[in-house]
Every structure is written in C-alpha cells, then in structure tokens.
Amino acid sequence: MSSSETQQAHSLLNAAAVRERAHEMLAIGVAGGLDHWTVDLDRLPEAARYVAAVIRDQYPTLAVPFHARWRHFAVDGVDLWGPVADARDWLDPASRARTEFDLAIVSVLLDAGAGPDWSYRDARTGRTLARSEGLAIASLRMFEAGAFSITEDDPWRVDAVALTFLTAADLAKGFQVTPKNPLVGLEGRAALLRRLGQACLAEPDLFALEDEPRPGGLFDAMVDRADEQDRLRAPVILEVLLEALGPVWRDRLTLGGVDLGDCWRHPAIKRDDATDGLLPIHKLSQWLSYSLVEPLQTAGVEVIDLDGLTGLAEYRNGGLFMDLGVLTLKDPADAARPWPVSDPLVVGWRGMTVALLDRIAPLVRAELGVSAEAMPLASVLEGGTWAAGRRSAAERRPGGGPPLTILSDGTVF
C-alpha cells in the first residue's frame, strides 16, 4: 500500500466528500447519464409542500428537534429516557454523556431496518412497536437491564468485553425474535456489535481516555477535539466516528489499508486517482453523529456547523423522492427486483438522495417561513423528510415498505 492511497482513503472519510460526490451524482442524473434513473427537479417544489405539510401536522409551533435516536425513545409522546436520566445521581456531566454515548452508539448500530414482519412488545408501556421505534425501545430495555455491561454496580453502560461475547441468541432474546417474529439481519447485527467491542479494545486511546474501553469513551475523544471555547464542529463528530468505527464494518471496501465503511462503487463517479468510482455515504455514522449532539450539549459542549453534516441516504428519504416523482426508475420492473446495496442502482439512488435533501431543505423552509438557523437540516430531516417518506409509503404500499426491494445484512439501512 502507498501513503498516497492512504491519504486518498482518508479524503473520503468526511461529510464534505459525501456532499461533493452526491451532488456530482445528482448532476449526472439530471443530465440523463445514469442507466437506471431519470430525475425531474421540477417535482421538488411539490415535494417540499408535502414535507412542509407533514411538519405542520407534527409540529404546529415549527419547533422541530434534531433527527436523532433520542426521538425514538419516546412512546405516545412520553420520553422513556430523559426523565429517568435526569433523576439519576451522576458523578459529573461527563459521566452522563459517556452513558448516553454508550446507549446511542449501540442502539443506532442495531437499527438498520427491521423488515416488515418484526415487532416488539414493550411490557412497561403495553405497546407493540415496529421498525425504528421498536428497535429503539428493544435496545433501550436491553441497555437498562445491563445486557451490554459486565460492571456489577453499573448496568447502564456498554463494556467492550461484554460486546465481544454477544451472540445472535442474546439479541434474539432481547428483541423477542421468533420464527413468527423474524428480524432481518440478526446475525449481522450481533457480529457488528462484537466487532465494535473488538475495536474498543484495540484502540484504548480512542475509547478509554477516562475509563475502561467502552463506546462512551468517544465522548472524551470528541471533547479533546473541541476548541478553547468548548465548541465542536459537527463534521468532526463524524470524522471521529469514522476513524473509530471503520474496523466494525464487514466485507466493505478498503483503500491503502483504510476501511472505507459505507462507501460504494459507481461507474459514473470519475477521478484520476485511487478514489475513482467511489461514492462515500456514511449513513449510519452520520445519523449517529446527529444522535451524539444532544449528549455533548448537555455536557456543556457547544456543537456548531450542524449543517456541515449531510442528509441521510436511507429508504425513507430516498423513497420520498421516488414516491413524489423526483426520481423515477427507467425500467419500472426494477422496483420489484431484489437489489444488493452495492448495486449501482442502489448506490446512485442513495447518492442522489443526499443531494436532493440539500435541494429540498431551503424549499421546505420557504414554505414554512423559517430560517436555516431556526430549522437546520437535522430538523428538516426529522420533521420532515423522514416522516414524509414514511407517510408517502403508507399511502402507496400495504405495510408502508420502501419502493425498492433491498437485500441488506442489517448494517446499511
């Protein structure tokens, strides 16, 4: 491997690279240069009106929170985490932040699509929940029960050693998986968490600055990168995560010995170096970045440049653009075929979704009469395109599934 290849690999591990190449993909699509897709930007204003209407329905005051895992820890409007955490006697703000990092990191990594046939019955609320909300509450209950801890006096933590022994059977028990209640990619999720544990143990400088190796140790690594005014740029959160979590992704691309994570090949992306044909997306890592903002803020760190992160290339956002006619398959039969996440059809769809979210956000704000400061991209996503994608899916397809059939191992969507 060469040092130049290593440098080129690192050039893909940031939000700016995601945004640049996503907009390049969209421009190619608009020009008719993609094999599978046509793009109609004239449909964007109508899509923006649809999203704005969803935001008004859900948030009449237009005070929209960030798109983060914490939203899914609420059932029927009742926050199941915040009040409990507020009532706990923490050693200091950093201790709470490390715990919330532990919870958010594990919960996000476990949430890459549940499939249409899985649900979770929460004994405490009496509710049966599916998809992201069900995955969130199932992971929260496992966390509260100490399923990820080997520290006897503190079940509310995620220990690296505990993760290395986690099995699919452990997850199946916690997530109530049975033959009649199947969860997509169960073994893939368990293996992902085992690799997270191994990564924590292998990099104590990143994961154990103030404690035994644990995902929550990344709080200290991020605080260490804040400026003298305790301000941290949001894109730096992503860069730390990509550095730390690179080894956890299985069977992904590497360049110069560097793990590229959620980065895929597409023939339309042209470069004259080793990054030719590569499109970085980093969806789960970016959603995790958004989810770590609030724990950092609670601990006294000011997170700035939030819009330096990008929109999320997942099937709710991408499905919204398909359902509303912004993106159209050239061959309608492709909608019924199963597609691996590495196929150029899916890679192009995901890349254009990121760019289209940048395009639709100002249109949504204009519809609502709010500024970018009042409604950053993270709030447009939450209020927002993700919720609108779910609504449009429910209006068009029984069960509200995505408009494409994606073959996933539980670590992408």
Side-chain angles (χ1 to χ4, degrees):
M1 67 187 70
S2 68
S3 60
S4 63
E5 282 195 352
T6 301
Q7 292 173 350
Q8 290 164 23
H10 284 292
S11 75
L12 299 172
L13 300 179
N14 57 77
V18 174
R19 177 164 275 122
E20 175 191 359
R21 297 195 182 205
H23 280 275
E24 183 177 336
M25 181 70 71
L26 179 61
I28 295 168
V30 170
L34 297 180
D35 291 340
H36 300 100
W37 296 99
T38 58
V39 183
D40 185 356
L41 295 181
D42 291 339
R43 305 282 293 181
L44 265 182
E46 181 181 341
R49 287 189 288 273
Y50 185 91
V51 173
V54 172
I55 291 176
R56 288 193 186 97
D57 285 347
Q58 295 199 122
Y59 300 96
T61 67
L62 303 186
V64 185
F66 299 153
H67 187 57
R69 191 52 160 170
W70 309 105
R71 310 291 83 78
H72 293 153
F73 294 139
V75 176
D76 295 330
V78 178
D79 184 358
L80 302 183
W81 169 254
V84 176
D86 290 341
R88 189 179 190 186
D89 185 20
W90 300 98
L91 179 65
D92 53 32
S95 296
R96 174 172 178 167
R98 293 185 196 107
T99 295
E100 293 185 329
F101 267 50
D102 275 345
L103 173 57
I105 290 169
V106 166
S107 187
V108 166
L109 291 183
L110 285 171
D111 183 22
D117 302 317
W118 176 85
S119 64
Y120 178 80
R121 174 73 176 177
D122 183 42
R124 296 192 206 174
T125 62
R127 286 291 310 278
T128 297
L129 306 158
R131 301 192 182 275
S132 286
E133 290 84 354
L135 292 168
I137 300 304
S139 62
L140 174 64
R141 298 311 189 200
M142 288 187 71
F143 179 82
E144 291 173 334
F148 309 113
S149 172
I150 58 169
T151 305
E152 290 186 4
D153 60 347
D154 188 6
W156 281 16
R157 60 181 283 141
V158 177
D159 286 304
V161 172
L163 291 180
T164 63
F165 289 102
L166 190 75
T167 67
D170 296 327
L171 280 187
K173 180 180 178 181
F175 281 70
Q176 301 174 355
V177 176
T178 67
K180 294 183 178 180
N181 190 37
L183 178 64
V184 172
L186 183 66
E187 179 54 57
R189 293 170 209 261
L192 183 65
L193 291 191
R194 288 195 297 271
R195 292 194 296 273
L196 173 62
Q198 293 160 2
C200 292
L201 294 172
E203 295 285 350
D205 289 345
L206 268 176
F207 289 97
L209 294 183
E210 295 286 344
D211 204 348
E212 292 300 312
R214 58 191 285 202
L218 290 179
F219 168 75
D220 300 272
M222 292 180 190
V223 169
D224 193 48
R225 288 162 171 79
D227 66 17
E228 294 179 354
Q229 287 77 44
D230 290 328
R231 297 178 304 185
L232 181 67
R233 293 178 55 251
V236 174
I237 299 173
L238 176 65
E239 289 162 20
V240 172
L241 288 175
L242 292 177
E243 176 187 354
L245 301 183
V248 311
W249 308 110
R250 182 181 60 187
D251 300 327
R252 298 287 177 82
L253 298 174
T254 63
L255 179 60
V258 176
D259 296 290
L260 298 182
D262 188 7
C263 179
W264 308 90
R265 294 195 180 279
H266 196 289
I269 299 296
K270 302 295 186 183
R271 293 294 186 278
D272 58 2
D273 59 22
T275 68
D276 181 54
L278 295 180
L279 180 74
I281 297 176
H282 307 312
K283 178 261 175 178
L284 272 180
S285 296
Q286 292 212 74
W287 189 40
L288 181 51
S289 298
Y290 285 123
S291 299
L292 298 181
V293 169
E294 288 158 81
L296 284 160
Q297 290 175 328
T298 300
V301 179
E302 180 185 1
V303 179
I304 60 175
D305 191 19
L306 192 61
D307 279 359
L309 297 172
T310 78
L312 303 181
E314 46 84 38
Y315 70 83
R316 290 304 182 198
N317 290 323
L320 173 72
F321 294 122
M322 289 183 66
D323 287 341
L324 299 187
V326 181
L327 296 176
T328 305
L329 289 166
K330 290 183 175 179
D331 182 357
D334 283 344
R337 300 185 179 111
W339 296 97
V341 293
S342 59
D343 193 277
L345 180 147
V346 178
V347 176
W349 178 48
R350 297 182 74 206
M352 289 190 291
T353 294
V354 170
L356 287 168
L357 289 167
D358 277 346
R359 292 286 198 104
I360 202 173
L363 300 179
V364 171
R365 296 183 191 117
E367 286 287 331
L368 297 171
V370 299
S371 66
E373 291 73 25
M375 190 175 289
L377 181 59
S379 297
V380 174
L381 294 172
E382 174 63 24
T385 56
W386 187 87
R390 172 175 278 186
R391 180 176 294 186
S392 70
E395 292 169 349
R396 288 162 174 81
R397 288 174 294 281
L404 284 179
T405 301
I406 307 297
L407 301 173
S408 176
D409 64 358
T411 64
V412 177
F413 286 98

